[in-house]
Short mmCIF file of all heavy atoms in Angstrom, two decimals:
data_model
loop_
_atom_site.label_atom_id
_atom_site.label_comp_id
_atom_site.label_asym_id
_atom_site.label_seq_id
_atom_site.Cartn_x
_atom_site.Cartn_y
_atom_site.Cartn_z
N VAL A 1 128.03 -29.89 57.61
CA VAL A 1 127.18 -30.67 58.52
C VAL A 1 127.47 -32.16 58.37
O VAL A 1 127.55 -32.90 59.36
CB VAL A 1 125.70 -30.35 58.29
CG1 VAL A 1 124.81 -31.35 59.03
CG2 VAL A 1 125.39 -28.92 58.75
N GLU A 2 127.64 -32.62 57.15
CA GLU A 2 127.99 -34.04 56.95
C GLU A 2 129.32 -34.37 57.61
O GLU A 2 129.46 -35.42 58.25
CB GLU A 2 128.05 -34.35 55.46
CG GLU A 2 126.71 -34.40 54.76
CD GLU A 2 126.82 -34.93 53.35
OE1 GLU A 2 127.85 -35.56 53.02
OE2 GLU A 2 125.88 -34.73 52.56
N ASN A 3 130.28 -33.47 57.47
CA ASN A 3 131.57 -33.71 58.11
C ASN A 3 131.43 -33.83 59.62
O ASN A 3 132.03 -34.70 60.25
CB ASN A 3 132.54 -32.58 57.78
CG ASN A 3 133.03 -32.63 56.34
OD1 ASN A 3 132.84 -33.62 55.64
ND2 ASN A 3 133.65 -31.55 55.90
N ILE A 4 130.64 -32.96 60.21
CA ILE A 4 130.47 -32.94 61.68
C ILE A 4 129.73 -34.18 62.16
O ILE A 4 130.13 -34.83 63.12
CB ILE A 4 129.72 -31.67 62.12
CG1 ILE A 4 130.60 -30.43 61.91
CG2 ILE A 4 129.29 -31.76 63.58
CD1 ILE A 4 129.87 -29.11 62.13
N CYS A 5 128.65 -34.51 61.46
CA CYS A 5 127.73 -35.52 61.99
C CYS A 5 128.02 -36.95 61.51
O CYS A 5 127.61 -37.91 62.17
CB CYS A 5 126.29 -35.16 61.63
SG CYS A 5 125.71 -33.63 62.43
N THR A 6 128.69 -37.09 60.40
CA THR A 6 128.92 -38.44 59.88
C THR A 6 130.39 -38.78 59.74
O THR A 6 130.73 -39.91 59.37
CB THR A 6 128.24 -38.62 58.50
OG1 THR A 6 128.94 -37.85 57.52
CG2 THR A 6 126.78 -38.20 58.55
N GLY A 7 131.27 -37.81 59.98
CA GLY A 7 132.69 -38.10 59.91
C GLY A 7 133.27 -38.08 58.52
O GLY A 7 134.41 -38.51 58.32
N THR A 8 132.51 -37.61 57.53
CA THR A 8 133.06 -37.49 56.18
C THR A 8 134.14 -36.40 56.18
O THR A 8 134.28 -35.63 57.13
CB THR A 8 131.96 -37.15 55.17
OG1 THR A 8 131.28 -35.96 55.61
CG2 THR A 8 130.98 -38.28 55.01
N THR A 9 134.87 -36.33 55.09
CA THR A 9 135.98 -35.37 55.01
C THR A 9 135.86 -34.52 53.74
O THR A 9 136.83 -34.31 53.02
CB THR A 9 137.33 -36.09 55.02
OG1 THR A 9 137.37 -37.05 53.94
CG2 THR A 9 137.56 -36.79 56.35
N HIS A 10 134.67 -34.05 53.45
CA HIS A 10 134.49 -33.14 52.32
C HIS A 10 135.38 -31.92 52.51
O HIS A 10 135.47 -31.36 53.61
CB HIS A 10 133.04 -32.65 52.24
CG HIS A 10 132.03 -33.72 52.04
ND1 HIS A 10 132.01 -34.53 50.93
CD2 HIS A 10 130.96 -34.09 52.79
CE1 HIS A 10 130.99 -35.36 51.00
NE2 HIS A 10 130.34 -35.13 52.13
N ASP A 11 136.00 -31.49 51.43
CA ASP A 11 136.76 -30.24 51.45
C ASP A 11 135.86 -29.13 50.94
O ASP A 11 135.68 -28.97 49.73
CB ASP A 11 138.01 -30.36 50.57
CG ASP A 11 138.91 -29.12 50.66
OD1 ASP A 11 138.48 -28.13 51.28
OD2 ASP A 11 140.02 -29.16 50.10
N VAL A 12 135.28 -28.35 51.85
CA VAL A 12 134.33 -27.32 51.44
C VAL A 12 135.01 -26.22 50.64
O VAL A 12 134.34 -25.46 49.92
CB VAL A 12 133.59 -26.72 52.65
CG1 VAL A 12 132.79 -27.79 53.39
CG2 VAL A 12 134.55 -26.03 53.60
N TRP A 13 136.31 -26.11 50.74
CA TRP A 13 137.03 -25.09 49.97
C TRP A 13 137.11 -25.44 48.49
O TRP A 13 137.53 -24.62 47.67
CB TRP A 13 138.43 -24.88 50.55
CG TRP A 13 138.37 -24.28 51.92
CD1 TRP A 13 138.32 -24.95 53.10
CD2 TRP A 13 138.32 -22.88 52.23
NE1 TRP A 13 138.24 -24.05 54.16
CE2 TRP A 13 138.24 -22.78 53.64
CE3 TRP A 13 138.33 -21.72 51.48
CZ2 TRP A 13 138.17 -21.56 54.31
CZ3 TRP A 13 138.27 -20.50 52.14
CH2 TRP A 13 138.19 -20.42 53.53
N GLU A 14 136.70 -26.64 48.14
CA GLU A 14 136.68 -27.03 46.73
C GLU A 14 135.35 -26.73 46.07
O GLU A 14 135.18 -26.94 44.86
CB GLU A 14 136.99 -28.53 46.60
CG GLU A 14 138.38 -28.92 47.07
CD GLU A 14 139.47 -28.35 46.18
OE1 GLU A 14 139.17 -27.96 45.03
OE2 GLU A 14 140.62 -28.27 46.63
N VAL A 15 134.36 -26.26 46.83
CA VAL A 15 133.08 -25.89 46.24
C VAL A 15 133.27 -24.64 45.38
O VAL A 15 133.86 -23.66 45.82
CB VAL A 15 132.02 -25.61 47.33
CG1 VAL A 15 130.75 -25.04 46.71
CG2 VAL A 15 131.72 -26.89 48.10
N ASN A 16 132.76 -24.71 44.14
CA ASN A 16 132.77 -23.53 43.26
C ASN A 16 134.17 -23.11 42.86
O ASN A 16 134.54 -21.95 42.94
CB ASN A 16 132.05 -22.36 43.94
CG ASN A 16 131.78 -21.20 42.98
OD1 ASN A 16 131.88 -21.37 41.78
ND2 ASN A 16 131.46 -20.06 43.53
N VAL A 17 134.98 -24.08 42.44
CA VAL A 17 136.34 -23.79 42.01
C VAL A 17 136.51 -23.99 40.51
O VAL A 17 137.14 -23.18 39.85
CB VAL A 17 137.35 -24.68 42.77
CG1 VAL A 17 138.73 -24.57 42.17
CG2 VAL A 17 137.39 -24.28 44.25
N GLU A 18 135.96 -25.07 39.98
CA GLU A 18 136.26 -25.44 38.59
C GLU A 18 135.74 -24.42 37.60
O GLU A 18 134.65 -23.89 37.75
CB GLU A 18 135.62 -26.81 38.28
CG GLU A 18 136.28 -27.95 39.04
CD GLU A 18 137.75 -28.09 38.69
OE1 GLU A 18 138.06 -28.29 37.50
OE2 GLU A 18 138.58 -28.00 39.59
N GLU A 19 136.50 -24.15 36.56
CA GLU A 19 136.11 -23.18 35.54
C GLU A 19 134.80 -23.60 34.86
O GLU A 19 134.00 -22.77 34.48
CB GLU A 19 137.20 -23.02 34.49
CG GLU A 19 138.42 -22.29 35.01
CD GLU A 19 139.42 -22.00 33.91
OE1 GLU A 19 139.15 -22.39 32.75
OE2 GLU A 19 140.44 -21.37 34.19
N GLU A 20 134.59 -24.91 34.68
CA GLU A 20 133.40 -25.38 33.99
C GLU A 20 132.19 -25.43 34.90
O GLU A 20 131.09 -25.68 34.45
CB GLU A 20 133.64 -26.79 33.41
CG GLU A 20 134.68 -26.84 32.29
CD GLU A 20 136.11 -26.76 32.80
OE1 GLU A 20 136.32 -26.96 34.02
OE2 GLU A 20 137.01 -26.50 31.99
N TYR A 21 132.37 -25.19 36.17
CA TYR A 21 131.32 -25.46 37.15
C TYR A 21 130.04 -24.69 36.86
O TYR A 21 128.95 -25.23 36.94
CB TYR A 21 131.85 -25.11 38.54
CG TYR A 21 130.90 -25.48 39.64
CD1 TYR A 21 130.62 -26.82 39.92
CD2 TYR A 21 130.26 -24.51 40.37
CE1 TYR A 21 129.75 -27.16 40.92
CE2 TYR A 21 129.37 -24.85 41.38
CZ TYR A 21 129.13 -26.17 41.65
OH TYR A 21 128.26 -26.52 42.64
N HIS A 22 130.14 -23.41 36.52
CA HIS A 22 128.95 -22.62 36.28
C HIS A 22 128.37 -22.83 34.89
O HIS A 22 127.20 -22.59 34.67
CB HIS A 22 129.26 -21.13 36.45
CG HIS A 22 129.81 -20.79 37.78
ND1 HIS A 22 129.08 -20.89 38.93
CD2 HIS A 22 131.04 -20.36 38.15
CE1 HIS A 22 129.83 -20.52 39.96
NE2 HIS A 22 131.02 -20.21 39.50
N GLU A 23 129.21 -23.25 33.96
CA GLU A 23 128.82 -23.20 32.57
C GLU A 23 128.34 -24.51 32.00
O GLU A 23 127.60 -24.52 31.03
CB GLU A 23 130.02 -22.71 31.72
CG GLU A 23 130.71 -21.49 32.28
CD GLU A 23 129.81 -20.27 32.38
OE1 GLU A 23 128.77 -20.24 31.70
OE2 GLU A 23 130.14 -19.36 33.13
N GLU A 24 128.76 -25.64 32.57
CA GLU A 24 128.42 -26.92 31.98
C GLU A 24 127.65 -27.77 32.98
O GLU A 24 127.99 -27.82 34.15
CB GLU A 24 129.68 -27.66 31.54
CG GLU A 24 130.47 -26.91 30.47
CD GLU A 24 131.70 -27.66 30.03
OE1 GLU A 24 131.93 -28.76 30.58
OE2 GLU A 24 132.42 -27.17 29.17
N ALA A 25 126.62 -28.42 32.49
CA ALA A 25 125.82 -29.29 33.35
C ALA A 25 126.55 -30.60 33.53
O ALA A 25 126.23 -31.62 32.94
CB ALA A 25 124.45 -29.53 32.73
N ALA A 26 127.56 -30.57 34.35
CA ALA A 26 128.39 -31.75 34.58
C ALA A 26 128.37 -32.09 36.06
O ALA A 26 128.00 -31.29 36.90
CB ALA A 26 129.83 -31.48 34.12
N ALA A 27 128.80 -33.28 36.37
CA ALA A 27 128.88 -33.68 37.77
C ALA A 27 129.91 -32.83 38.49
O ALA A 27 130.86 -32.35 37.90
CB ALA A 27 129.25 -35.16 37.87
N ILE A 28 129.71 -32.66 39.80
CA ILE A 28 130.67 -31.92 40.59
C ILE A 28 132.00 -32.66 40.57
O ILE A 28 132.06 -33.85 40.87
CB ILE A 28 130.17 -31.77 42.03
CG1 ILE A 28 128.86 -30.98 42.03
CG2 ILE A 28 131.21 -31.08 42.91
CD1 ILE A 28 128.18 -30.97 43.37
N PRO A 29 133.09 -32.00 40.18
CA PRO A 29 134.36 -32.70 40.04
C PRO A 29 134.92 -33.19 41.37
O PRO A 29 134.69 -32.60 42.42
CB PRO A 29 135.28 -31.62 39.43
CG PRO A 29 134.64 -30.33 39.75
CD PRO A 29 133.17 -30.58 39.83
N GLU A 30 135.64 -34.28 41.28
CA GLU A 30 136.26 -34.84 42.46
C GLU A 30 137.49 -34.03 42.85
O GLU A 30 138.25 -33.58 41.99
CB GLU A 30 136.70 -36.29 42.18
CG GLU A 30 135.54 -37.21 41.80
CD GLU A 30 134.62 -37.47 42.95
OE1 GLU A 30 135.07 -37.32 44.11
OE2 GLU A 30 133.46 -37.83 42.73
N PRO A 31 137.72 -33.83 44.18
CA PRO A 31 138.91 -33.09 44.58
C PRO A 31 140.19 -33.66 44.02
O PRO A 31 141.12 -32.95 43.71
CB PRO A 31 138.86 -33.17 46.11
CG PRO A 31 137.40 -33.34 46.43
CD PRO A 31 136.84 -34.17 45.31
N GLY A 32 140.27 -34.95 43.86
CA GLY A 32 141.49 -35.56 43.34
C GLY A 32 141.79 -35.20 41.91
O GLY A 32 142.90 -35.41 41.43
N GLU A 33 140.79 -34.66 41.20
CA GLU A 33 141.01 -34.28 39.82
C GLU A 33 141.65 -32.90 39.70
O GLU A 33 142.01 -32.46 38.61
CB GLU A 33 139.67 -34.28 39.07
CG GLU A 33 139.02 -35.64 39.02
CD GLU A 33 137.62 -35.59 38.44
OE1 GLU A 33 137.20 -34.49 38.03
OE2 GLU A 33 136.96 -36.62 38.41
N ARG A 34 141.79 -32.18 40.80
CA ARG A 34 142.35 -30.84 40.78
C ARG A 34 143.83 -30.89 41.14
O ARG A 34 144.32 -31.84 41.71
CB ARG A 34 141.63 -29.94 41.78
CG ARG A 34 140.12 -29.90 41.58
CD ARG A 34 139.49 -28.91 42.54
NE ARG A 34 138.07 -28.84 42.32
CZ ARG A 34 137.18 -29.54 43.01
NH1 ARG A 34 137.57 -30.33 43.96
NH2 ARG A 34 135.90 -29.42 42.76
N ALA A 35 144.50 -29.82 40.83
CA ALA A 35 145.90 -29.69 41.23
C ALA A 35 145.99 -29.73 42.75
O ALA A 35 145.17 -29.12 43.43
CB ALA A 35 146.48 -28.39 40.70
N PRO A 36 146.95 -30.44 43.32
CA PRO A 36 147.07 -30.53 44.77
C PRO A 36 147.15 -29.13 45.39
O PRO A 36 147.89 -28.27 44.91
CB PRO A 36 148.39 -31.30 44.97
CG PRO A 36 148.55 -32.09 43.71
CD PRO A 36 148.00 -31.23 42.63
#
């Protein structure tokens, strides 16, 4: 919805990818931190 209405370019395919995502209370990682 943000992409549609505000012109942002979130990559929704990066949601729920990182191995630590479920296990550690950390900030959501930036797409640039992942392998291209």
Side-chain angles (χ1 to χ4, degrees):
V1 168
E2 288 189 17
N3 288 347
I4 291 171
C5 295
T6 71
T8 55
T9 56
H10 299 298
D11 185 352
V12 299
W13 293 91
E14 296 293 341
V15 172
N16 191 14
V17 170
E18 291 299 301
E19 289 187 359
E20 293 77 15
Y21 186 67
H22 303 293
E23 313 299 341
E24 298 181 0
I28 298 171
E30 300 291 337
E33 298 172 3
R34 305 184 178 96

